[in-house]
Amino acid sequence: MQTLTHDELKALTDWEQGPSISIYLPRHQAVSELGKDAIVLRNMLDEAETRLQNQGFGTAESRKFLEQARNIQNDDSFWELGSAQGLCLLLAPGAFHQFDLPYQCPQMLTVDDAFYISPLFYKVYEDDRFDVLAISPKAVRMIRHEKGSVSEIDLPENMPASLEEYSQGIELEESIQHHSASSGRAGREVAGIIHGHGVAKEQTEKLLGDYYEFLARQLENSQGSGSLPLILACAEKQQSLFRKHFHMNHLLQEGIATSPDQLSAQELIELARPIIKSHAQNSLHKAQEQFKNHLGTSRISHQLEEILQSAEQGRVEMLFVPIGSERWGQLPQDGELIETHDSKSPGDTALHNRAIRDTYRHGGTPYVINTEDMPDDQPLLAYFRW
C-alpha cells in the first residue's frame, strides 16, 4: 500500500488535459465475492468507452485509451484477496495511474477535463512519511520511512557523522591534550572525553553542547519548508542540547529518548510509529478546535459559493469534506448562487472536488474525513486565512 507524496498529489491536482477518466472501486474482502470486482470494473470501463465515443472518439481510439485498465480487469491474479480495500485508476492522454487504497472508497466514474482526486485526500493528514534523526557521540544517522520502506538518507553537507569527526580540527584546551590516549588527534582524544578518562566533567559537557548546537544549525540550514515530520532519537539528557538550538516546527515535541547506537533503522522506525500516529491525530484535533473557536466569525463558512471563490483566491487554509460527499453544478460568477445536483448533468463540474483542488494548489489543507469527524453538521466547511 502506498501513500501519495506531496509532489504526486500536486501533479494530479494540477492536471487539466481531457478527457481525464477517474475510476474508484471499493473492493470486496470475502472469498465468496471473488470475481465480482472485475465484473464491476468491466461495466465501468464499458460506460467510460461509451462516454468517450459520445465525445467524438472512434471505437478503436476509445479501446486504445482504456487498454491498460482493461489489462487490470482481465488479470485474474490482480483480483486475488489482499490488503487493498479500494482501487483508483486515472487515465488521460499520455497518463495512467493506478493506486491501491487502504480504505473503502466510494464507487465513482467521471470523464472530465481534470482528474477527480477528492478520495485520494482521505485522511491525508495521516501521512506515514517521516524522518528519524538518530544522534549520539558515536554516530549521526538520518532515517526515512516513506511508502512503507525504510532507508538511510544522506546527511546534509558539512554535517559531521560523529563527535570525533566534528572535533577534528578543533584546537582543544591544553588540559585536554595532556590526557591524550594516543597520537593527540582531537578526534581520538574525544573518545577519552566521552568515556570519562579523567577529563573534567565541564569540558565534556561543553564539547557535547557545542556538538549538538552545530548539528542543529547545520540541519536547520539545510531543511526546506516542505520537510517531513522529524523525530529525534537520542539519549534523554541530550535531547535538550539539540532542541534548544533547532527551531523548525517539523521537529515533533515527542522524541525517542534512548541511545540509538545499538538500534537498527527498522527498530528506530518501529519506536517512532506511535509518535507519528499521535501527531496525525493531534493535527486533525487542532484543526477541529481552531475551526470551532472561530464559529460565528467571518473566518468560517459553509456556503458553497463563498468557499469555491475563496479557494480559487487562495483564502482557504483548511477545508473539511466528508469522504464520498459531492455536489455537481456550474461554478459561481461574482458571488451568484448556483444550482447544484446530486449527480452530473451536462456541463457540470464536481464542486467539492474543485474546492479541494484549489485549496491544495494554494497551500491549504483539505481534510477529507469521515462524517462523524466533521467539526460541524454541514457537507462542506472552510476556515479562511483572512
Side-chain angles (χ1 to χ4, degrees):
M1 221 65 58
Q2 294 186 345
T3 302
L4 273 69
T5 66
H6 167 74
D7 289 342
E8 289 170 329
L9 281 171
K10 187 175 186 305
L12 296 175
T13 300
D14 290 341
W15 183 273
E16 290 185 344
Q17 183 179 349
S20 298
I21 298 175
S22 306
I23 294 174
Y24 291 88
L25 177 65
R27 297 190 58 173
H28 293 89
Q29 302 298 306
V31 175
S32 60
E33 295 174 317
L34 279 176
K36 289 186 177 180
D37 295 338
I39 296 172
V40 175
L41 179 58
R42 181 192 66 196
N43 294 336
M44 295 176 79
L45 292 173
D46 288 346
E47 174 62 22
E49 187 172 331
T50 298
R51 295 190 192 183
L52 287 173
Q53 291 175 7
N54 290 339
Q55 293 184 19
F57 282 68
T59 301
E61 189 179 11
S62 299
R63 290 178 179 173
K64 182 67 175 176
F65 197 107
L66 301 172
E67 183 177 10
Q68 289 175 282
R70 292 289 190 189
N71 290 339
I72 293 175
Q73 171 209 315
N74 295 320
D75 182 359
D76 292 338
S77 64
F78 178 83
W79 301 106
E80 295 174 356
L81 290 180
S83 57
Q85 297 187 47
L87 173 65
C88 168
L89 299 177
L90 305 177
L91 302 84
F96 177 80
H97 304 278
Q98 174 198 334
F99 302 109
D100 294 326
L101 306 178
Y103 51 87
Q104 287 276 309
C105 58
Q107 183 172 319
M108 177 173 288
L109 164 67
T110 65
V111 181
D112 213 330
D113 292 330
F115 289 132
Y116 191 87
I117 46 81
S118 174
L120 296 180
F121 281 89
Y122 178 61
K123 292 190 175 182
V124 77
Y125 61 90
E126 291 186 350
D127 188 351
D128 67 349
R129 295 174 302 142
F130 58 90
D131 291 334
V132 174
L133 177 63
I135 307 176
S136 78
K138 293 182 179 179
V140 179
R141 291 179 288 163
M142 183 76 81
I143 302 160
R144 175 159 296 176
H145 180 269
E146 185 170 22
K147 292 189 173 183
S149 65
V150 177
S151 60
E152 294 204 23
I153 61 176
D154 293 337
L155 295 172
E157 187 177 357
N158 298 326
M159 191 165 175
S162 66
L163 178 57
E164 179 176 346
E165 182 177 314
Y166 164 72
S167 64
Q168 289 177 2
I170 297 178
E171 185 176 349
L172 300 180
E173 297 177 15
E174 183 178 348
S175 60
I176 297 177
Q177 294 174 347
H178 176 73
H179 290 275
S180 175
S182 56
S183 64
R185 284 179 56 211
R188 296 189 181 277
E189 182 58 35
V190 168
I193 294 173
I194 298 307
H195 288 89
H197 291 174
V199 180
K201 180 180 178 181
E202 309 86 69
Q203 295 169 325
T204 303
E205 291 179 348
K206 182 179 187 308
L207 186 60
L208 273 176
D210 291 346
Y211 170 62
Y212 280 89
E213 178 181 358
F214 186 79
L215 293 179
R217 291 182 175 176
Q218 291 300 110
L219 185 64
E220 192 170 77
N221 290 337
S222 71
Q223 298 289 283
S225 59
S227 299
L228 298 180
L230 180 64
I231 297 171
L232 179 63
C234 69
E236 184 173 2
K237 291 182 178 180
Q238 297 167 8
Q239 289 265 342
S240 61
L241 295 178
F242 181 87
R243 291 179 181 275
K244 72 179 181 180
H245 297 294
F246 189 86
H247 307 296
M248 299 188 73
N249 58 15
H250 67 288
L251 176 63
L252 303 192
Q253 291 185 357
E254 185 178 357
I256 302 170
T258 187
S259 173
D261 287 341
Q262 302 304 315
L263 298 173
S264 67
Q266 184 64 52
E267 287 171 330
L268 286 167
I269 291 299
E270 293 305 319
L271 290 174
R273 287 186 189 278
I275 298 174
I276 202 69
K277 183 177 181 179
S278 175
H279 169 70
Q281 293 171 342
N282 287 339
S283 171
L284 176 60
H285 178 72
K286 289 178 181 178
Q288 293 167 329
E289 288 301 309
Q290 190 170 357
F291 180 94
K292 291 176 181 178
N293 289 338
H294 288 82
L295 282 172
T297 73
S298 60
R299 299 284 294 275
I300 298 296
S301 179
H302 66 268
Q303 297 296 329
L304 180 57
E305 296 85 355
E306 182 181 19
I307 292 173
L308 286 166
Q309 292 186 346
S310 297
E312 185 179 16
Q313 296 164 2
R315 289 182 56 211
V316 177
E317 182 173 331
M318 297 182 295
L319 188 72
F320 300 91
V321 190
I323 186 169
S325 170
E326 190 55 84
R327 299 298 296 173
W328 300 83
Q330 305 290 324
L331 291 172
Q333 301 293 329
D334 298 325
E336 67 179 355
L337 296 177
I338 55 177
E339 179 181 340
T340 64
H341 317 112
D342 292 332
S343 57
K344 182 179 174 64
S345 295
D348 277 358
T349 294
L351 300 174
H352 291 186
N353 187 65
R354 179 58 177 261
I356 289 170
R357 291 176 62 215
D358 284 344
T359 295
Y360 195 66
R361 282 171 167 170
H362 292 288
T365 302
Y367 287 91
V368 178
I369 51 183
N370 296 321
T371 302
E372 58 267 26
D373 291 326
M374 292 288 286
D376 201 4
D377 186 20
Q378 296 290 342
L380 186 69
L381 297 165
Y383 175 86
F384 300 140
R385 292 186 169 113
W386 68 86

